Amino acid sequence: MTDFSRRTLVKSSLAGLTLAGLTTGVATPAGAAPAAIPLVRKRLTLPTGIATGDVTTDSAVLWSRASGPGRLTATLNAVDDAGELLRGRYGFSRTIRGPLATEASDFTAKIHAKGLPPGTRFRLELNFEDENGTGEAAQGSFSTAPGNKPDDGGTPGGRGGGRPASSSQSFVWTGDTAGQGWGINEQIGGMRGYKAMHDVRPDFFIHSGDTIYADGPITESVTEKDGQVWRNIVTEEVSKVAETLKEFRGRHRYNSLDANMRSLFADVPVIAQWDDHETHNNWYPGQVLDDARYTERNVNVLAARGRQAWQENMPIADSAALWRPGTYDAGQYQPARIYRKISRGPQLDIFCLDMRTYKSPNTDGKEPYTTNILGQEQVDWLIKEVGQSKATWKVIAADLPLGIVVPDGPVNQESLSNRDNGAPLGRELEIAGVLSAFKKHGVKNTVWLTADVHYCAAHHYSPERASFKDFQPFWEFVAGPINAGSFGPNDMDGTFGPDVVFSKAGRFPGESPRNGENQFFGHVELGSDNTFNVSLRNANGGVVFSKTLSPER
């Protein structure tokens, strides 16, 4: 959106009034003072909608972008399931004036709202203020997680309101948005997978990475394998690979053009992860790209720009993750931390990993010593936080799968698997240490959720089938893509003993999202009996697999 200064607007108004006078033949009487010309005030708008994120039992991040400089303001009101304001004991109303949105942040701003009552549904209104007053307002909603006690605040009864500690909540997860050249096709209803997720009315959404495809240009049309023509919305920033900060920002703006995505983000809090395509396919710190499409091939420079754009556009809460520019010490990218824990009440904790920032170079993965997928600091954090968690279920949101082989060329490996079914080597040693520590600390009921590979699957890991045996059995569920090319299924690595209980992939590599049958998301419903009810669904909402897990005591 083009921003005009007040001076430009006044000049335009004067020109318009002069033209109107000439057209109608109305003249100013000789010697008379000219009539006062009212100032034209440009009202701030919200060009890419609103979002909430990292919502816990008592806090939420509120996000939006303005059309120009202004201060973000939020109004929160507790409501019942019908959307009616609550009064008395359950009433809650608050207006929060947040930070200024400036050009330095691409006119994005976030409010970290704290001290909210648990188990409460909120009606949300966001707008920006400037010297011209209050701008356009947008409405949304979200629910805080249930509290730790049956009477721990909240509104009485119903979804998102005053739920006792044992009551249910649900969420969805997926990854991979606008990849392989499949962008927003309004002829088929846009990115329909986002509507399918919205339709199940989840309490939150985990975006498991590849929130954009910075390295995948989008063209106006693509001829599909069967001869049909896919028609994309196209903007300047998505017409080439992203290299400048403006181009990375433009990728996020592009996705927000989809009405389905905007609607979901307004009503459903996001827990966002970042992976490789926010920068470049299969990248790792210190890499120099061998890609003729790029003028800037230092991936550290690209990653810093991509990370800034991602953090400007994602409503993440950890204060350590607020953007500060990356530094370049001997060519090493040194960003802020984004791995974090999201507490969702007594039933559920989410441990959101970062498997990209601290990643070692892609090799064949068979080093006889530990190489990084998480880095030691994150490993220590994960072991400590999961070990101390009192939640029934500990969901580990991973942006890369554990047992799936993800090649990076004919020899190197992108994920932690190395095609060797024997004892852990390289990156596998790091994960082996995590799994062993979970067993040592008596951790129960861990579930790993991921995307990345562009097909859906359910894997059960057990030491009975594994070369490495010092761990407790667990499940991994894979979903995605939500609007990208379909691929898979991939080979599996036997080190941790995975059993492929289910998988469903596209009909051929790079299949378009047109029919929705091979685009996938996962859905989890936590029962009042603490069961973990997971289903894998296609972008039309159809269930392709389901499994109920009962908690171990």
Side-chain angles (χ1 to χ4, degrees):
M1 179 172 292
T2 304
D3 292 313
F4 298 98
S5 68
R6 180 181 295 180
R7 177 179 297 176
T8 301
L9 286 167
V10 171
K11 285 182 178 179
S12 299
S13 301
L14 285 167
L17 286 168
T18 302
L19 180 61
L22 290 172
T23 303
T24 60
V26 177
T28 302
I37 300 172
L39 287 176
V40 177
R41 298 183 181 275
K42 186 175 183 183
R43 194 167 174 238
L44 289 175
T45 62
L46 307 174
T48 48
I50 67 174
T52 64
D54 284 10
V55 175
T56 68
T57 55
D58 62 0
S59 67
V61 175
L62 318 174
W63 173 95
S64 191
R65 171 186 283 110
S67 56
R71 185 177 300 278
L72 179 61
T73 300
T75 301
L76 297 171
N77 286 290
V79 296
D80 61 19
D81 284 348
E84 297 297 323
L85 292 178
L86 292 165
R87 310 290 181 183
R89 174 188 174 190
Y90 298 108
F92 181 95
S93 181
R94 180 183 296 174
T95 297
I96 308 170
R97 298 187 74 242
L100 284 169
T102 67
E103 188 175 7
S105 65
D106 197 26
F107 305 114
T108 64
K110 303 174 189 178
I111 292 173
H112 194 181
K114 300 180 180 180
L116 305 179
T120 302
R121 186 156 188 79
F122 291 96
R123 180 194 303 164
L124 169 67
E125 182 173 286
L126 292 178
N127 56 51
F128 286 86
E129 300 173 345
D130 65 2
E131 69 275 11
N132 296 323
T134 301
E136 174 193 11
Q139 288 73 41
S141 62
F142 67 93
S143 298
T144 49
N148 291 321
K149 298 180 293 184
D151 61 347
D152 190 7
T155 58
R159 177 186 179 274
R163 299 165 294 194
S166 62
S167 65
S168 63
Q169 59 180 307
S170 69
F171 65 93
V172 292
W173 89 93
T174 191
D176 315 305
T177 300
Q180 289 72 52
W182 309 116
I184 302 168
N185 182 351
E186 292 190 324
Q187 290 183 344
I188 66 165
M191 298 196 288
R192 298 195 313 261
Y194 279 90
K195 181 181 185 303
M197 291 192 292
H198 199 181
D199 285 347
V200 301
R201 300 185 71 233
D203 288 290
F204 61 94
F205 163 45
I206 302 174
H207 199 310
S208 304
D210 294 341
T211 53
I212 60 169
Y213 274 71
D215 57 336
I218 294 175
T219 58
E220 288 186 1
S221 64
V222 183
T223 301
E224 301 173 57
K225 190 173 183 178
D226 62 2
Q228 295 188 82
V229 178
W230 177 280
R231 309 245 177 230
N232 287 310
I233 293 176
V234 177
T235 63
E236 178 184 354
E237 289 85 1
V238 303
S239 63
K240 65 178 289 292
V241 296
E243 298 180 81
T244 67
L245 179 57
K246 179 178 182 290
E247 289 165 348
F248 282 107
R249 286 168 166 172
R251 286 282 169 168
H252 292 279
R253 290 190 182 206
Y254 177 81
N255 287 357
S256 295
L257 294 175
D258 182 68
N260 302 306
M261 180 176 171
R262 287 200 311 274
S263 181
L264 176 78
F265 278 32
D267 282 342
V268 179
V270 182
I271 298 175
Q273 295 178 270
W274 98 316
D275 194 25
D276 56 337
H277 288 287
E278 285 84 357
T279 302
H280 184 277
N281 184 45
N282 296 348
W283 77 274
Y284 50 84
Q287 183 181 17
V288 177
L289 300 180
D290 181 16
D291 189 332
R293 300 175 301 170
Y294 285 80
T295 301
E296 176 57 72
R297 299 193 184 186
N298 182 342
V299 80
N300 286 352
V301 174
L302 296 172
R305 294 168 182 167
R307 175 68 171 267
Q308 177 173 348
W310 182 84
Q311 288 192 204
E312 287 170 345
N313 284 276
M314 295 296 151
I316 62 175
D318 194 324
S319 59
L322 297 177
W323 170 252
R324 53 185 184 270
T327 60
Y328 306 94
D329 179 10
Q332 294 302 307
Y333 172 50
Q334 298 179 1
R337 163 184 156 176
I338 53 172
Y339 57 87
R340 60 206 189 276
K341 171 187 172 183
I342 311 296
S343 297
R344 293 291 309 179
Q347 281 189 311
L348 180 65
D349 280 337
I350 306 290
F351 301 90
C352 191
L353 302 186
D354 176 5
M355 304 175 83
R356 185 61 49 183
T357 298
Y358 311 100
K359 194 170 184 274
S360 60
N362 290 346
T363 66
D364 65 2
K366 297 178 182 177
E367 296 87 350
Y369 51 86
T370 300
T371 56
N372 293 341
I373 193 77
L374 298 174
Q376 191 60 51
E377 181 180 309
Q378 187 173 188
V379 165
D380 293 343
W381 167 85
L382 181 61
I383 291 170
K384 176 184 176 183
E385 292 294 334
V386 173
Q388 292 179 347
S389 172
K390 298 185 184 306
T392 303
W393 294 99
K394 296 90 175 169
V395 164
I396 300 173
D399 42 293
L400 290 169
L402 296 184
I404 299 176
V405 176
V406 185
D408 181 21
V411 175
N412 294 341
Q413 302 301 320
E414 153 69 355
S415 188
L416 62 101
S417 299
N418 58 15
R419 291 189 183 274
D420 185 329
N421 295 332
L425 297 169
R427 294 169 179 161
E428 292 175 333
L429 286 165
E430 198 172 63
I431 298 300
V434 169
L435 298 179
S436 179
F438 287 175
K439 178 182 177 181
K440 177 182 176 181
H441 294 300
V443 173
K444 305 290 186 184
N445 308 318
T446 60
V447 179
W448 294 66
L449 303 180
T450 190
D452 185 67
V453 289
H454 296 238
Y455 69 96
C456 71
H459 303 145
H460 183 255
Y461 292 79
S462 175
E464 296 175 355
R465 298 182 294 268
S467 299
F468 176 76
K469 299 184 180 297
D470 189 24
F471 69 98
Q472 297 286 353
F474 65 94
W475 284 85
E476 174 188 59
F477 297 100
V478 185
I482 198 61
N483 196 87
S486 299
F487 292 91
N490 293 21
D491 294 335
M492 300 297 293
D493 185 299
T495 297
F496 301 114
D499 176 27
V500 181
V501 177
F502 173 83
S503 71
K504 190 174 190 301
R507 295 174 297 172
F508 51 85
E511 181 184 4
S512 89
R514 179 177 294 276
N515 67 17
E517 293 296 318
N518 295 313
Q519 304 283 297
F520 304 104
F521 68 94
H523 177 265
V524 173
E525 178 85 33
L526 296 175
S528 58
D529 58 353
N530 282 328
T531 52
F532 191 96
N533 304 286
V534 59
S535 60
L536 300 174
R537 308 186 182 208
N538 62 35
N540 300 322
V543 176
V544 298
F545 173 82
S546 62
K547 178 72 178 178
T548 294
L549 306 181
S550 296
E552 294 183 68
R553 293 187 180 276

Short mmCIF file of all heavy atoms in Angstrom, two decimals, residues 367-396:
data_model
loop_
_atom_site.label_atom_id
_atom_site.label_comp_id
_atom_site.label_asym_id
_atom_site.label_seq_id
_atom_site.Cartn_x
_atom_site.Cartn_y
_atom_site.Cartn_z
N GLU A 367 29.29 -39.19 11.39
CA GLU A 367 30.41 -38.88 12.26
C GLU A 367 30.34 -39.70 13.54
O GLU A 367 29.25 -39.89 14.11
CB GLU A 367 30.42 -37.39 12.61
CG GLU A 367 30.62 -36.46 11.42
CD GLU A 367 29.33 -36.08 10.71
OE1 GLU A 367 28.28 -36.70 11.04
OE2 GLU A 367 29.35 -35.19 9.85
N PRO A 368 31.46 -40.19 14.05
CA PRO A 368 31.46 -40.97 15.30
C PRO A 368 31.36 -40.11 16.55
O PRO A 368 31.53 -40.60 17.66
CB PRO A 368 32.80 -41.72 15.24
CG PRO A 368 33.69 -40.83 14.43
CD PRO A 368 32.80 -40.18 13.41
N TYR A 369 31.09 -38.85 16.38
CA TYR A 369 30.96 -37.90 17.48
C TYR A 369 29.68 -37.08 17.26
O TYR A 369 29.10 -37.06 16.17
CB TYR A 369 32.18 -36.97 17.55
CG TYR A 369 32.52 -36.31 16.24
CD1 TYR A 369 31.90 -35.11 15.84
CD2 TYR A 369 33.44 -36.89 15.36
CE1 TYR A 369 32.20 -34.51 14.63
CE2 TYR A 369 33.75 -36.30 14.15
CZ TYR A 369 33.12 -35.12 13.78
OH TYR A 369 33.41 -34.54 12.58
N THR A 370 29.24 -36.38 18.30
CA THR A 370 27.98 -35.64 18.23
C THR A 370 28.11 -34.40 17.36
O THR A 370 29.04 -33.60 17.53
CB THR A 370 27.54 -35.21 19.64
OG1 THR A 370 27.36 -36.38 20.45
CG2 THR A 370 26.23 -34.43 19.60
N THR A 371 27.20 -34.25 16.43
CA THR A 371 27.05 -33.01 15.67
C THR A 371 25.66 -32.44 15.98
O THR A 371 24.78 -33.15 16.48
CB THR A 371 27.23 -33.23 14.16
OG1 THR A 371 26.31 -34.24 13.72
CG2 THR A 371 28.64 -33.68 13.85
N ASN A 372 25.45 -31.16 15.67
CA ASN A 372 24.28 -30.46 16.19
C ASN A 372 23.06 -30.51 15.26
O ASN A 372 23.19 -30.32 14.05
CB ASN A 372 24.60 -28.99 16.44
CG ASN A 372 25.59 -28.80 17.57
OD1 ASN A 372 25.79 -29.67 18.39
ND2 ASN A 372 26.20 -27.62 17.60
N ILE A 373 21.90 -30.73 15.87
CA ILE A 373 20.63 -30.42 15.25
C ILE A 373 19.89 -29.41 16.13
O ILE A 373 19.12 -28.60 15.66
CB ILE A 373 19.78 -31.68 15.01
CG1 ILE A 373 18.60 -31.39 14.08
CG2 ILE A 373 19.30 -32.29 16.32
CD1 ILE A 373 18.97 -31.28 12.65
N LEU A 374 20.17 -29.46 17.44
CA LEU A 374 19.59 -28.53 18.41
C LEU A 374 20.63 -27.61 19.04
O LEU A 374 20.33 -26.47 19.36
CB LEU A 374 18.90 -29.31 19.54
CG LEU A 374 17.72 -30.20 19.16
CD1 LEU A 374 17.26 -31.00 20.37
CD2 LEU A 374 16.57 -29.39 18.60
N GLY A 375 21.82 -28.10 19.25
CA GLY A 375 22.83 -27.36 19.99
C GLY A 375 22.73 -27.67 21.47
O GLY A 375 21.65 -27.94 21.99
N GLN A 376 23.87 -27.64 22.18
CA GLN A 376 23.89 -28.09 23.57
C GLN A 376 22.99 -27.27 24.48
O GLN A 376 22.33 -27.81 25.36
CB GLN A 376 25.34 -28.07 24.10
CG GLN A 376 25.49 -28.76 25.45
CD GLN A 376 25.10 -30.23 25.38
OE1 GLN A 376 25.58 -30.98 24.51
NE2 GLN A 376 24.23 -30.67 26.28
N GLU A 377 22.95 -25.95 24.28
CA GLU A 377 22.12 -25.11 25.15
C GLU A 377 20.64 -25.49 25.02
O GLU A 377 19.92 -25.58 26.02
CB GLU A 377 22.32 -23.64 24.78
CG GLU A 377 21.50 -22.68 25.64
CD GLU A 377 21.71 -21.24 25.25
OE1 GLU A 377 22.88 -20.81 25.17
OE2 GLU A 377 20.70 -20.53 25.02
N GLN A 378 20.19 -25.74 23.79
CA GLN A 378 18.80 -26.12 23.58
C GLN A 378 18.53 -27.53 24.11
O GLN A 378 17.46 -27.81 24.66
CB GLN A 378 18.43 -26.02 22.10
CG GLN A 378 16.96 -26.23 21.83
CD GLN A 378 16.56 -25.97 20.38
OE1 GLN A 378 15.38 -25.97 20.05
NE2 GLN A 378 17.51 -25.75 19.50
N VAL A 379 19.49 -28.44 23.95
CA VAL A 379 19.36 -29.79 24.49
C VAL A 379 19.17 -29.73 26.00
O VAL A 379 18.27 -30.37 26.57
CB VAL A 379 20.59 -30.65 24.13
CG1 VAL A 379 20.64 -31.93 24.98
CG2 VAL A 379 20.56 -31.02 22.65
N ASP A 380 20.01 -28.95 26.67
CA ASP A 380 19.91 -28.83 28.13
C ASP A 380 18.57 -28.25 28.54
O ASP A 380 17.95 -28.71 29.52
CB ASP A 380 21.05 -27.95 28.67
CG ASP A 380 22.42 -28.59 28.49
OD1 ASP A 380 22.49 -29.82 28.27
OD2 ASP A 380 23.43 -27.86 28.56
N TRP A 381 18.13 -27.22 27.81
CA TRP A 381 16.83 -26.61 28.09
C TRP A 381 15.70 -27.61 27.93
O TRP A 381 14.81 -27.71 28.78
CB TRP A 381 16.62 -25.43 27.14
CG TRP A 381 15.21 -24.91 27.12
CD1 TRP A 381 14.65 -24.01 27.97
CD2 TRP A 381 14.18 -25.28 26.19
NE1 TRP A 381 13.33 -23.79 27.62
CE2 TRP A 381 13.02 -24.56 26.55
CE3 TRP A 381 14.13 -26.15 25.09
CZ2 TRP A 381 11.82 -24.68 25.83
CZ3 TRP A 381 12.94 -26.26 24.38
CH2 TRP A 381 11.81 -25.54 24.75
N LEU A 382 15.72 -28.37 26.85
CA LEU A 382 14.64 -29.32 26.56
C LEU A 382 14.57 -30.40 27.63
O LEU A 382 13.48 -30.73 28.13
CB LEU A 382 14.85 -29.94 25.18
CG LEU A 382 13.79 -30.94 24.71
CD1 LEU A 382 12.42 -30.28 24.62
CD2 LEU A 382 14.21 -31.55 23.36
N ILE A 383 15.71 -30.96 27.99
CA ILE A 383 15.73 -32.00 29.02
C ILE A 383 15.21 -31.47 30.35
O ILE A 383 14.39 -32.11 31.02
CB ILE A 383 17.15 -32.57 29.17
CG1 ILE A 383 17.54 -33.36 27.91
CG2 ILE A 383 17.26 -33.46 30.40
CD1 ILE A 383 19.00 -33.74 27.86
N LYS A 384 15.64 -30.28 30.71
CA LYS A 384 15.22 -29.69 31.99
C LYS A 384 13.73 -29.38 31.99
O LYS A 384 13.00 -29.76 32.93
CB LYS A 384 16.01 -28.42 32.26
CG LYS A 384 15.58 -27.68 33.52
CD LYS A 384 16.33 -26.37 33.69
CE LYS A 384 15.83 -25.58 34.89
NZ LYS A 384 16.53 -24.28 35.02
N GLU A 385 13.24 -28.70 30.95
CA GLU A 385 11.85 -28.25 30.93
C GLU A 385 10.88 -29.41 30.80
O GLU A 385 9.83 -29.44 31.47
CB GLU A 385 11.64 -27.25 29.79
CG GLU A 385 12.35 -25.93 29.98
CD GLU A 385 11.80 -25.13 31.15
OE1 GLU A 385 10.62 -25.32 31.51
OE2 GLU A 385 12.56 -24.33 31.71
N VAL A 386 11.19 -30.37 29.96
CA VAL A 386 10.30 -31.53 29.83
C VAL A 386 10.32 -32.35 31.12
O VAL A 386 9.27 -32.83 31.58
CB VAL A 386 10.70 -32.39 28.62
CG1 VAL A 386 9.87 -33.69 28.58
CG2 VAL A 386 10.49 -31.62 27.32
N GLY A 387 11.49 -32.48 31.72
CA GLY A 387 11.60 -33.23 32.98
C GLY A 387 10.82 -32.60 34.11
O GLY A 387 10.32 -33.30 35.00
N GLN A 388 10.71 -31.27 34.10
CA GLN A 388 10.00 -30.57 35.17
C GLN A 388 8.51 -30.37 34.88
O GLN A 388 7.76 -29.96 35.76
CB GLN A 388 10.65 -29.20 35.40
CG GLN A 388 12.05 -29.26 35.98
CD GLN A 388 12.67 -27.90 36.16
OE1 GLN A 388 12.17 -26.89 35.64
NE2 GLN A 388 13.78 -27.83 36.89
N SER A 389 8.08 -30.67 33.66
CA SER A 389 6.70 -30.43 33.29
C SER A 389 5.75 -31.32 34.09
O SER A 389 5.96 -32.52 34.24
CB SER A 389 6.50 -30.71 31.79
OG SER A 389 5.13 -30.66 31.45
N LYS A 390 4.69 -30.70 34.60
CA LYS A 390 3.66 -31.43 35.34
C LYS A 390 2.43 -31.69 34.47
O LYS A 390 1.43 -32.25 34.94
CB LYS A 390 3.26 -30.65 36.60
CG LYS A 390 4.41 -30.46 37.58
CD LYS A 390 3.93 -29.79 38.85
CE LYS A 390 5.11 -29.51 39.79
NZ LYS A 390 5.92 -30.71 40.09
N ALA A 391 2.47 -31.26 33.22
CA ALA A 391 1.35 -31.49 32.31
C ALA A 391 1.23 -32.97 31.98
O ALA A 391 2.23 -33.69 31.92
CB ALA A 391 1.52 -30.67 31.04
N THR A 392 0.02 -33.40 31.72
CA THR A 392 -0.18 -34.80 31.34
C THR A 392 0.57 -35.13 30.06
O THR A 392 1.30 -36.11 29.98
CB THR A 392 -1.68 -35.09 31.15
OG1 THR A 392 -2.38 -34.78 32.36
CG2 THR A 392 -1.91 -36.55 30.79
N TRP A 393 0.39 -34.29 29.03
CA TRP A 393 1.00 -34.53 27.73
C TRP A 393 2.07 -33.47 27.46
O TRP A 393 1.86 -32.29 27.70
CB TRP A 393 -0.05 -34.49 26.63
CG TRP A 393 -1.03 -35.63 26.73
CD1 TRP A 393 -2.28 -35.58 27.27
CD2 TRP A 393 -0.81 -36.98 26.31
NE1 TRP A 393 -2.87 -36.82 27.22
CE2 TRP A 393 -1.99 -37.70 26.63
CE3 TRP A 393 0.24 -37.65 25.71
CZ2 TRP A 393 -2.14 -39.06 26.36
CZ3 TRP A 393 0.11 -39.01 25.44
CH2 TRP A 393 -1.06 -39.70 25.76
N LYS A 394 3.20 -33.96 26.97
CA LYS A 394 4.31 -33.07 26.58
C LYS A 394 4.48 -33.19 25.07
O LYS A 394 5.02 -34.19 24.57
CB LYS A 394 5.61 -33.45 27.27
CG LYS A 394 5.59 -33.28 28.80
CD LYS A 394 5.12 -34.54 29.48
CE LYS A 394 5.22 -34.41 31.00
NZ LYS A 394 4.53 -35.53 31.69
N VAL A 395 3.98 -32.22 24.34
CA VAL A 395 4.10 -32.22 22.89
C VAL A 395 5.37 -31.51 22.50
O VAL A 395 5.60 -30.35 22.88
CB VAL A 395 2.87 -31.55 22.24
CG1 VAL A 395 3.15 -31.20 20.78
CG2 VAL A 395 1.66 -32.45 22.34
N ILE A 396 6.20 -32.20 21.74
CA ILE A 396 7.45 -31.61 21.25
C ILE A 396 7.23 -31.27 19.78
O ILE A 396 7.12 -32.15 18.93
CB ILE A 396 8.62 -32.57 21.45
CG1 ILE A 396 8.77 -32.89 22.95
CG2 ILE A 396 9.91 -31.97 20.89
CD1 ILE A 396 9.78 -33.95 23.26
#
